Amino acid sequence: MRKLSENFYQRKNVLQVAEDLLGKILVTQCNTIITAGRIVECEAYAGVSDKASHAAGGKRTPRNEIMYAPGGVSYVYLCYGMHHLFNVVTNKKEIPHAVLIRALEPMAGMAAMVQRTGKKETDSTITKGPGNLTKALGITTNHTAISLQSPDLYLADDNHHYTKKEIGVSPRIGIDYAGDDALLPYRFYIKNSPYVSGKKWLTK
DNA sequence: GAGTAGATCCTCT
DNA sequence: GAGGATCTACTCA
């Protein structure tokens, strides 16, 4: 298992990066507790031309400044006052592309995930959805703007590959305010995974 | 099973 | 001062 290099993140096509992130492993370590999960759902946010992105139209604020950094760093922010959302910044410096990680399949540290989320046991909802996965992995806004080469938070490849058949594509979720851009097929997910959000595959 | 409302707070205007 | 890249629980059928 090896960490993804900066070259992986700094490619120009954010859609390709998003699709390639499926099957990769997100690892966090805080206070010696390691939690990890395989990415089964993510969405691409294509910078200035994407109305759904925080950087739409070249908007630049203290919060989204990190999106303009070279690819390979994290962007975490608070949404709706209670959910932390984890993004991976991609592309080169000054190009604010990012990929939102929406769902994981738990692989390690399940006990810690259960404890953090206050659930009684591991079930398919524990890392389903962007708000849930950050909670399970202990990701907060303290993790924003840090390098994905750091030992506390990184993405890794264990040579697991999904086939084209297993990968689904759809419009993004929860961005109705973005007008026409809400319809863009920028969401990638693993078909049949019980951890993918937005569908009621099997909640019980 | 489907639809709706409430929680809750940081960020930008 | 308004609103958001969400989630859950509750209502109603």
Side-chain angles (χ1 to χ4, degrees), chain A residues 54-65:
Chain A
H54 287 166
K59 191 167 73 166
R60 196 157 182 157
T61 67
R63 184 177 67 159
N64 71 15
E65 178 67 29

Side-chain angles (χ1 to χ4, degrees), chain A residues 19-199:
Chain A
E19 187 174 346
D20 287 348
L21 280 172
L22 293 175
K24 298 297 185 288
I25 301 168
L26 173 61
V27 184
T28 65
Q29 174 178 355
C30 47
N31 300 326
T32 75
I33 302 173
I34 290 180
T35 42
R38 195 182 300 283
I39 297 169
V40 295
E41 184 185 2
C42 61
E43 290 177 359
Y45 285 84
V48 297
S49 62
D50 185 347
K51 287 202 278 290
S53 168
H54 287 166
K59 191 167 73 166
R60 196 157 182 157
T61 67
R63 184 177 67 159
N64 71 15
E65 178 67 29
I66 192 64
M67 295 181 79
Y68 290 83
V73 295
S74 67
Y75 172 40
V76 184
Y77 76 98
L78 186 65
C79 184
Y80 297 104
M82 62 196 81
H83 299 296
H84 297 274
L85 271 59
F86 173 66
N87 297 252
V88 175
V89 176
T90 73
N91 217 308
K92 307 286 188 189
K93 184 172 162 56
E94 299 302 320
I95 303 180
H97 288 186
V99 177
L100 168 69
I101 308 302
R102 293 188 56 89
L104 299 174
E105 175 186 325
M107 292 180 70
M110 266 78 121
M113 294 186 193
V114 170
Q115 191 177 19
R116 285 173 185 149
T117 54
K119 293 182 187 295
K120 292 189 177 61
E121 56 185 359
T122 309
D123 64 19
S124 65
T125 68
I126 197 160
T127 53
K128 181 207 289 267
N132 288 329
L133 83 87
T134 54
K135 194 172 177 185
L137 294 195
I139 296 174
T140 69
T141 50
N142 290 331
H143 293 82
T144 200
I146 68 176
S147 166
L148 295 176
Q149 306 299 321
S150 111
D152 298 330
L153 174 64
Y154 61 92
L155 291 162
D157 185 359
D158 68 347
N159 289 320
H160 182 96
H161 291 291
Y162 288 108
T163 63
K164 280 277 183 191
K165 267 197 315 192
E166 296 173 283
I167 297 174
V169 180
S170 80
R172 290 169 294 184
I173 295 176
I175 51 165
D176 296 339
Y177 60 86
D180 294 343
D181 285 347
L183 303 174
L184 294 171
Y186 282 6
R187 171 172 172 259
F188 300 90
Y189 62 98
I190 302 304
K191 295 175 186 171
N192 303 320
S193 170
Y195 298 100
V196 169
S197 66
K199 287 249 165 57

